[in-house]
Amino acid sequence: MKARNLLIASVCIVVIGLAVWKIATLLRSREPESPKPLEAAAPDPVLVAAYADDPPALGLGDARDRKWIEYFYRHRALKDTLQVMLRIAKLAETNSDMAATAWFFGTVLRGETNLINAVRAELAHATGHARAFIEKVLANAAAQPMTRITSGTDLQCVWAEYLATGDFERVERVFSTVCDPHAPAPAEVSAAARELLVKVARYHAEVYTCADDLALVAEEPCEAKLQAVVEQMREEFGRKASDLLTLAGNLRRQRSFEDTRRVIQTALKLFPDSARAQAELAALAEEEGNLDEALLAARRAAAIFPGNPENHYRLGRLHFLRREHKSAIASYETAIKLGYSFNSVWHALGRAYQESGNHKDAIRCFKQYLALEPHGPNAPLVKEYLASMNQPVEDDPTDLKTMLVRGEYDALENRLREILRSGRRNPAGQSEIYLAYGYLCRNPTGTFGFEQFLDRFRRWAEARPDSHFAHAAYGTVLIDHAWHARGSGWGTTVTPEGWKLFEERLQKARAALERAYELDPSDPLPPAWLITVARGLGLDRDEMEKQFARGVAADPAEYTVYSSKLTYLMPKWHGSEREMFEFARKAAAESPTNSIVPAVILDAHWEMFTVMYSKDKRYFRRPGVWEEMKQVFATVCDRFPGAHKLRNRFALAAFYAGDYATAARQLDLIGEQWLSEVWGERSFFDRVRAETQKRLKRQAALHSSN
């Protein structure tokens, strides 16, 4: 009996213990678990790179295999080579045009001993045309790369080498064939090269970009031939796709997502390898909440244009939203290395480090963000975090934005008044009051959080109805807000809603700026910005001239006043080439000697080059163009040695004009202070610098021989 009771007691204890454990387990399961960071799944490189529908490839294979060949240099999926080659070998039985495809596989196999042995093993089982194809591939693997282009078949083989290796020197050789007067049957080979380049450029954006760059650095007679290639590419797909993508961006900002997707898909049919189209698709998918599609499109944009920092920033944001913090950090750091221009990248990188648990690097990045954007939209939370980590950051009480954010309007307006009355200019010739407005009114978040940013200036204007500075600042921010609604691009790309908001906001800006001028006519910038309003609203010439007269009366040396009128008079707005140049030359002749105003002549010429002549550099060799530009460049750059943008343009324009001695001098003065807004990519700057030296040496050799 005692043993029986002991057994029952033991069982009860076990049962009670199990019950307690079960209850505790259930309770624990109800406690929220902190989410663990996810690791980004390794993307399928073929899926990322080979997405264009039905690319031309090299003539053999079904659509799937043509994609694989077309973008091999991007995905380098060597493990698939044998399978793809064997599938294509079977198709070779019904297609005799296999030279370029066989050369492609031979190039892929060069140096790949294991792969060559695997192909040889398959040869034993092959017959007929398939066997002949494989034998040709193996023979090509033992051959030397193509060194001479004498026929259309040679061109195809050189292009095949590029697809197999990604060595861009092969593409440049195809471009050189367009111009090579020494090639056998040069007219036929040149025509074949041009046809090949135009055909493949829509599937290889780097070819489209290279065509533009090479045309800009080429010499006659090659220059005209390459410019014709560029123009054909633009006409067939470049311009149309660009306009469609501008429209897509405008539609997306209006949240017309269905229409946006339809326009992007149309652009991709025209230009399948457009990084911009993939970036727009990524932005659309992100706003729709489809992060998988957004990430794939962002990866494709980065694969097409790896040198664009914005593509990597977008990738970083998408990885962060998916809690893939390690991948987000890598993408953000790449964007920074490539020169991403928005300071928000430091906040984004800090957040990725913070969420990954790396507080040391999070603090470093957050401090950098605050140094650049002490009053950016994320600054309050960043300061709270730093304070919690015993790393407090104090605002600079003398900073204009500090005064604005704190509502210290007396101090802010007194400081602005002192700047306005001083009339000081920086080493680049810009007025300090223009720079102060620019610093105060620049939206650090770009197109995000505009209403929050605008509210700062609305509160200031409401609190200080008699402050001309408050209304001037509010007016210029409203102009930016209006242009954000309109979007970029030509009028045909603007949506009806965009036009409506554009006009409404410009009317508000007009009222604010008129009030600013009424309160203090001595500030030249409200009239200058009212010219911008007149341009946007399509107001008549008398209204523009009224504002111009007001601005010049306030400060005859304020460049912004002249620049605003010049833009109004551009042929794409409300003027003509004649009116634009007449004004620019008159302004330069009558402006004070201590001003940068003569640079409006340069702006007029640059407008002609970029818009009216579609970046055809032969514009600079039109009679009188370079002579006028050179004189103005020299005068203004000597007067204002800190005008780095003008000096960069001076060097580039001199190169385009064929004045290599002047280009070399300016490039020496620029050193490493090259500007992406002038040169685009560093590679183009380096190419121009190298070509300048090469042509100077050639000129010197010719001179000495004579």
Side-chain angles (χ1 to χ4, degrees):
M1 185 70 178
K2 186 181 291 185
R4 182 170 176 268
N5 290 339
L6 184 61
L7 178 62
I8 292 171
S10 299
V11 170
C12 289
I13 290 171
V14 170
V15 170
I16 292 169
L18 287 170
V20 170
W21 174 81
K22 182 67 174 175
I23 292 169
T25 301
L26 289 171
L27 287 173
R28 278 199 303 272
S29 68
R30 290 171 185 167
E31 294 174 358
E33 294 184 3
S34 57
K36 296 179 181 178
L38 302 175
E39 289 298 325
D44 177 355
V46 179
L47 179 67
V48 170
Y51 54 84
D53 289 335
D54 201 24
L58 299 168
L60 292 182
D62 59 16
R64 173 186 56 174
D65 289 339
R66 286 202 302 275
K67 288 181 183 182
W68 188 91
I69 291 172
E70 193 81 29
Y71 298 107
F72 178 82
Y73 69 101
R74 288 183 187 168
H75 60 71
R76 304 291 302 171
L78 267 174
K79 62 182 177 60
D80 301 331
T81 303
L82 184 60
Q83 290 179 335
V84 176
M85 192 198 72
L86 291 176
R87 285 198 298 266
I88 287 179
K90 293 177 182 177
L91 292 173
E93 297 179 10
T94 57
N95 192 324
S96 60
D97 184 18
M98 60 182 186
T101 309
W103 193 260
F104 165 82
F105 282 107
T107 305
V108 171
L109 262 58
R110 283 177 200 148
E112 299 291 340
T113 305
N114 292 338
L115 194 52
I116 290 173
N117 291 336
V119 173
R120 284 177 178 153
E122 292 293 335
L123 186 63
H125 310 294
T127 60
H129 289 287
R131 182 178 180 85
F133 179 79
I134 295 173
E135 287 175 342
K136 189 68 174 174
V137 168
L138 288 170
N140 291 341
Q144 294 297 314
M146 189 73 62
T147 57
R148 194 156 176 249
I149 299 175
T150 61
S151 67
T153 299
D154 291 345
L155 279 169
Q156 288 285 343
C157 288
V158 171
W159 176 248
E161 287 182 357
Y162 173 65
L163 297 184
T165 65
D167 182 356
F168 208 75
E169 186 270 338
R170 266 81 164 182
V171 178
E172 292 186 345
R173 285 180 59 200
V174 177
F175 274 106
S176 68
T177 306
V178 174
C179 309
D180 187 1
H182 305 296
E188 290 82 353
V189 175
S190 175
R194 174 173 173 167
E195 181 182 353
L196 172 65
L197 290 166
V198 172
K199 180 177 75 172
V200 302
R202 70 178 70 221
Y203 296 97
H204 299 272
E206 67 274 17
V207 175
Y208 183 44
T209 302
C210 181
D212 206 23
D213 287 353
L214 288 177
L216 287 170
V217 299
E219 296 178 280
E220 289 289 8
C222 187
E223 176 185 357
K225 293 180 179 180
L226 289 179
Q227 192 63 43
V229 172
V230 170
E231 192 55 38
Q232 187 175 349
M233 292 176 180
R234 289 173 179 165
E235 183 64 27
E236 290 192 9
F237 63 90
R239 288 195 186 96
K240 296 171 187 174
S242 178
D243 286 346
L244 284 168
L245 292 172
T246 300
L247 174 60
N250 293 340
L251 287 167
R252 177 173 54 80
R253 282 189 287 273
Q254 301 297 332
R255 304 193 68 77
S256 300
F257 292 158
E258 187 176 333
D259 290 338
T260 303
R261 184 173 293 276
R262 185 164 52 249
V263 171
I264 292 172
Q265 295 301 337
T266 303
L268 280 169
K269 287 178 182 176
L270 282 168
F271 192 178
D273 204 42
S274 168
R276 184 179 168 195
Q278 294 294 341
E280 278 293 341
L281 186 58
L284 171 65
E286 181 185 345
E287 292 198 36
E288 290 178 327
N290 188 342
L291 295 186
D292 289 342
E293 182 189 20
L295 184 63
L296 178 60
R299 280 173 167 156
R300 286 172 171 168
I304 296 167
F305 195 171
N308 184 349
E310 189 172 346
N311 290 336
H312 296 280
Y313 178 78
R314 183 179 294 104
L315 262 178
R317 186 174 68 248
L318 290 166
H319 281 305
F320 183 82
L321 291 172
R322 293 161 58 92
R323 295 192 290 116
E324 298 161 352
H325 301 135
K326 184 177 179 181
S327 297
I329 289 167
S331 294
Y332 286 140
E333 288 183 336
T334 300
I336 290 170
K337 287 177 184 176
L338 291 172
Y340 188 68
S341 59
F342 284 97
N343 301 326
S344 56
V345 68
W346 288 102
H347 172 262
L349 181 57
R351 286 284 294 123
Y353 275 124
Q354 181 187 11
E355 290 297 317
S356 71
N358 184 343
H359 294 286
K360 179 181 177 182
D361 281 320
I363 290 169
R364 172 179 60 83
C365 294
F366 284 146
K367 285 187 173 181
Q368 179 66 15
Y369 169 68
L370 289 179
L372 297 168
E373 291 289 355
H375 302 289
N378 300 300
L381 290 175
V382 168
K383 291 170 184 174
E384 285 182 20
Y385 167 76
L386 291 175
S388 73
M389 303 299 292
N390 295 317
Q391 298 280 335
V393 174
E394 298 295 331
D395 291 334
D396 177 4
T398 65
D399 179 78
L400 295 176
K401 287 185 179 178
T402 299
M403 299 176 195
L404 175 63
V405 171
R406 290 179 176 178
E408 297 172 353
Y409 301 133
D410 281 337
L412 174 60
E413 290 164 18
N414 286 337
R415 177 68 182 130
L416 290 171
R417 190 172 297 108
E418 185 275 325
I419 293 172
L420 174 62
R421 289 175 178 172
S422 74
R424 291 188 298 265
R425 285 175 167 74
N426 73 353
Q430 298 166 304
S431 68
E432 285 195 9
I433 189 61
Y434 168 78
L435 295 171
Y437 277 124
Y439 172 70
L440 197 61
C441 302
R442 183 175 60 86
N443 182 1
T445 55
T447 58
F448 299 97
F450 223 123
E451 289 292 344
Q452 176 188 359
F453 182 72
L454 188 65
D455 193 55
R456 291 180 180 177
F457 299 90
R458 185 185 297 115
R459 290 198 306 268
W460 182 15
E462 289 173 352
R464 311 283 283 201
D466 295 328
S467 165
H468 110 270
F469 290 115
H471 291 287
Y474 185 36
T476 190
V477 174
L478 279 166
I479 290 175
D480 289 345
H481 199 206
W483 239 268
H484 172 57
R486 179 194 185 277
S488 58
W490 298 95
T492 54
T493 68
V494 183
T495 66
E497 180 66 12
W499 282 123
K500 176 175 175 290
L501 292 172
F502 183 58
E503 181 174 356
E504 288 176 359
R505 293 169 184 177
L506 282 183
Q507 291 291 5
K508 290 181 180 178
R510 185 182 187 185
L513 292 168
E514 285 287 3
R515 177 62 176 154
Y517 176 78
E518 177 187 332
L519 289 166
D520 187 352
S522 71
D523 187 344
L525 291 168
W529 294 326
L530 280 164
I531 296 175
T532 303
V533 170
R535 170 164 58 90
L537 292 175
L539 303 181
D540 61 29
R541 184 72 59 88
D542 288 344
E543 174 64 21
M544 181 274 292
E545 293 290 2
K546 179 180 78 173
Q547 301 302 341
F548 177 71
R550 287 175 169 182
V552 171
D555 183 356
E558 177 53 59
Y559 173 77
T560 311
V561 176
Y562 297 86
S563 175
S564 297
K565 178 173 177 178
L566 183 82
T567 306
Y568 182 100
L569 292 174
M570 286 176 178
K572 67 186 179 186
W573 285 105
H574 307 295
S576 65
E577 179 181 351
R578 179 184 60 79
E579 291 171 317
M580 178 174 69
F581 276 107
E582 282 182 355
F583 163 69
R585 288 165 182 147
K586 185 173 186 291
E590 297 177 357
S591 63
T593 56
N594 66 334
S595 77
I596 203 170
V597 169
V600 291
I601 291 178
L602 306 175
D603 293 339
H605 281 298
W606 215 261
E607 172 72 7
M608 294 299 296
F609 163 61
T610 56
V611 178
M612 307 306 293
Y613 280 75
S614 300
K615 290 190 175 181
D616 185 338
K617 73 175 189 290
R618 288 173 292 182
Y619 170 77
F620 294 96
R621 295 196 288 276
R622 292 179 67 205
V625 169
W626 175 238
E627 290 77 9
E628 181 176 49
M629 293 184 74
K630 183 177 180 179
Q631 182 180 1
V632 176
F633 270 128
T635 300
V636 176
C637 288
D638 286 347
R639 188 180 293 167
F640 298 100
H644 297 304
K645 181 177 177 180
L646 283 177
R647 191 172 300 281
N648 274 256
R649 277 193 174 177
F650 193 3
L652 183 57
F655 176 82
Y656 287 160
D659 186 349
Y660 303 121
T662 298
R665 283 195 299 274
Q666 297 308 314
L667 287 166
D668 285 343
L669 290 169
I670 290 167
E672 291 301 306
Q673 292 182 305
W674 72 282
L675 298 177
S676 59
E677 60 184 305
V678 174
W679 303 94
E681 302 249 350
R682 174 62 190 249
S683 59
F684 183 63
F685 172 73
D686 290 339
R687 185 193 291 270
V688 168
R689 188 159 56 181
E691 283 291 328
T692 299
Q693 291 302 318
K694 185 170 74 173
R695 294 174 193 182
L696 273 177
K697 289 178 182 177
R698 189 174 64 205
Q699 287 178 350
L702 287 171
H703 180 73
S704 62
S705 65
N706 293 330

